[in-house]
Amino acid sequence: KLRQRLGVEVFNPRLRFRRATQRGPVWFTEPLFPSYIFARFALRERIKEIRHTNGVNTVVHFADRFPAVPDEVIEELRAMTGGQELIVQETELEPGQEIRVASGAFQGLVGVVKQVLPAAQRVRVLLEILGRTTSVEIDQQTVVRADATAWKRAAAGREL
């Protein structure tokens, strides 16, 4: 709304990823910085207008001080996201990658990709079943990368 109605420059990076759920793998889109967006505007001239825009709760402030995020920080974030506001986490699986089974008989188990079988849309994974490591071949659509929230963890730890 800030961008369309007021012509304010906004940066709101979001992450799209697959996550294991009770229904199987599901695509989610979440903000990289929940409850926050970055907006560039003339503070004194537009603060009232910004605060009263539908969807805006408040402008971050500490008493009467409104902090500014340095342009270099925003540019660094843009560079890390490839200039995109929607970052789609790749779902391509590779040997050695840790996965979580999202649906089917092995739902909830964590394993390691042993081999990708692209023609059959299947993947051979090593799972620990009853205390033994077992090689199992399953449909690629039933697994998600175990690092599906790596971007969010990195952002929270400022490891971007």
Side-chain angles (χ1 to χ4, degrees):
K1 300 189 190 229
L2 289 174
R3 187 180 287 150
Q4 293 93 358
R5 289 188 184 160
L6 303 180
V8 172
E9 182 183 344
V10 173
F11 182 58
N12 181 22
R14 293 164 312 191
L15 178 63
R16 183 161 170 76
F17 59 95
R18 278 186 357 160
R19 179 185 293 159
T21 70
Q22 295 286 352
R23 302 182 321 255
V26 175
W27 282 97
F28 287 87
T29 301
E30 295 181 358
L32 200 54
F33 302 98
S35 301
Y36 293 93
I37 62 169
F38 300 98
R40 182 191 312 262
F41 59 94
L43 184 66
R44 291 185 196 276
E45 293 83 19
R46 302 198 71 185
I47 187 71
K48 287 182 183 174
E49 180 182 33
I50 300 294
R51 279 184 167 161
H52 291 96
T53 300
N54 203 11
V56 174
N57 187 20
T58 189
V59 175
V60 174
H61 63 282
F62 305 99
D64 61 347
R65 191 173 84 68
F66 293 83
V69 177
D71 289 341
E72 300 80 38
V73 172
I74 300 300
E75 289 311 312
E76 183 181 343
L77 287 170
R78 280 194 169 122
M80 286 190 244
T81 62
Q84 304 296 313
E85 283 198 25
L86 182 61
I87 307 144
V88 179
Q89 187 173 42
E90 296 300 320
T91 58
E92 295 297 316
L93 299 172
E94 298 174 2
Q97 197 168 44
E98 190 175 58
I99 56 93
R100 178 177 309 277
V101 181
S103 64
F106 303 112
Q107 183 175 1
L109 294 179
V110 175
V112 175
V113 175
K114 183 176 177 183
Q115 182 181 12
V116 178
L117 308 165
Q121 291 295 304
R122 296 183 72 75
V123 63
R124 185 167 290 126
V125 296
L126 297 174
L127 298 174
E128 189 169 320
I129 303 172
L130 300 173
R132 284 185 44 194
T133 301
T134 306
S135 180
V136 179
E137 194 176 297
I138 55 179
D139 188 331
Q140 284 188 27
Q141 297 303 309
T142 66
V143 302
V144 294
R145 291 172 36 171
D147 65 347
T149 56
W151 266 92
K152 293 187 77 67
R153 286 195 309 268
R158 226 18 213 132
E159 296 170 13
L160 291 173

